[in-house]
């Protein structure tokens, strides 16, 4: 299995500086870093999810297996929680990569997505992202698949436009220490 690092930039409104998100995947371990303020460590085998709040040196732990499951909520059809994906038939190039444009509608928000079917490294990433599916509740409905790698997305919330763009997708060795809780971080 390959170790994978995915980096995205998100711009909110007229912001000139992006929020940088980096997702690192090593086997059944996933780390998501949001700039330098927080990191989330996930073990997809055990369901353990740990948020590291760097400024406070604080740790918040939950187990995804203990969270409420959509299929257990009375009167809620789990299928109704899945996004509706629609191909627009439009194509556009993003950074020299031919993309098909899709929309995703969920909870009253419509997201526009630029999907590249043959993005370099996507096949390996797709295989590794299956580890995240282990965090889903058993019996939860499977969401719709969209072909390819999302190179860019746009949506609006509260009058603010959010644009997220893929910056890089790399395969490189990751150390186990990247997925460890620092010894000086404490629970609240």
């Amino acid at each position: 299995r390959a170790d994978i690092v995915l980096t995205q930039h998100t711009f909110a409104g007229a912001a000139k500086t992006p929020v940088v998100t980096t997702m690192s995947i090593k086997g059944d371990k996933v780390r998501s870093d949001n700039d330098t303020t927080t990191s989330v460590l996930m073990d997809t085998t055990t369901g353990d999810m740990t948020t590291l709040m760097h400024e406070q040196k604080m740790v918040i732990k939950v187990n995804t297996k203990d969270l409420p499951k959509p299929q257990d909520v009375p009167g809620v059809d789990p299928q109704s929680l899945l996004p509706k994906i629609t191909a627009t038939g439009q194509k556009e190039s993003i950074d020299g990569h031919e993309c098909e444009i899709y929309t995703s509608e969920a909870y009253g928000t419509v997201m526009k997505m630029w999907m590249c079917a043959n993005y370099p490294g996507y096949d390996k990433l797709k295989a590794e992202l299956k580890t995240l599916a282990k965090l889903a509740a058993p019996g939860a409905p499977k969401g719709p698949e969209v072909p390819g790698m999302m190179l860019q997305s746009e949506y609006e919330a509260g009058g603010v436009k959010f644009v997220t763009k893929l910056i890089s997708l790399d395969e490189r060795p990751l150390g186990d220490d990247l997925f460890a809780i620092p010894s000086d971080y404490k629970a609240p």
Side-chain angles (χ1 to χ4, degrees):
R1 295 177 64 171
D3 295 349
I4 302 282
V5 179
L6 178 144
T7 304
Q8 295 177 317
H9 285 178
T10 300
F11 291 89
K16 301 288 185 217
T17 305
V19 172
V20 179
T21 302
T22 304
M23 181 184 290
S24 305
I25 304 171
K26 180 182 183 76
D28 289 332
K29 308 269 191 216
V30 178
R31 178 181 175 130
S32 180
D33 292 288
N34 183 355
D35 278 338
T36 58
T37 59
T38 60
S39 300
V40 177
L41 308 175
M42 294 170 273
D43 184 322
T44 62
T45 301
T46 65
D48 291 332
M49 187 166 64
T50 304
T51 300
L52 304 175
M53 300 175 73
H54 301 298
E55 291 174 2
Q56 299 86 356
K57 292 195 175 193
M58 189 169 24
V59 176
I60 299 172
K61 293 183 179 185
V62 297
N63 189 292
T64 59
K65 294 176 182 177
D66 297 333
L67 298 175
K69 296 158 185 55
Q71 63 269 26
D72 295 338
V73 178
V76 174
D77 174 13
Q79 291 289 340
S80 70
L81 302 176
L82 297 176
K84 179 184 176 195
I85 306 293
T86 306
T88 66
Q90 299 172 320
K91 293 185 179 190
E92 192 174 311
S93 182
I94 299 286
D95 296 332
H97 300 281
E98 186 69 26
C99 297
E100 291 188 49
I101 300 174
Y102 289 79
T103 59
S104 171
E105 186 173 353
Y107 306 108
T109 299
V110 177
M111 178 186 295
K112 187 174 179 181
M113 306 178 299
W114 285 257
M115 306 302 296
C116 179
N118 59 356
Y119 190 81
Y122 173 68
D123 288 337
K124 288 182 183 177
L125 175 67
K126 185 176 179 181
E128 292 302 317
L129 286 178
K130 288 183 180 180
T131 63
L132 288 177
K134 294 178 187 176
L135 293 173
K142 185 179 176 199
E145 287 195 27
V146 180
M149 182 73 193
M150 184 165 44
L151 300 191
Q152 184 170 302
S153 67
E154 290 181 2
Y155 71 95
E156 192 171 311
V160 177
K161 182 177 179 181
F162 293 86
V163 178
T164 299
K165 187 170 184 182
L166 176 69
I167 299 303
S168 63
L169 175 63
D170 300 312
E171 183 178 343
R172 65 175 181 249
L174 298 171
D176 291 333
D177 58 327
L178 185 65
F179 304 91
I181 300 169
S183 61
D184 58 339
Y185 282 48
K186 306 294 181 215

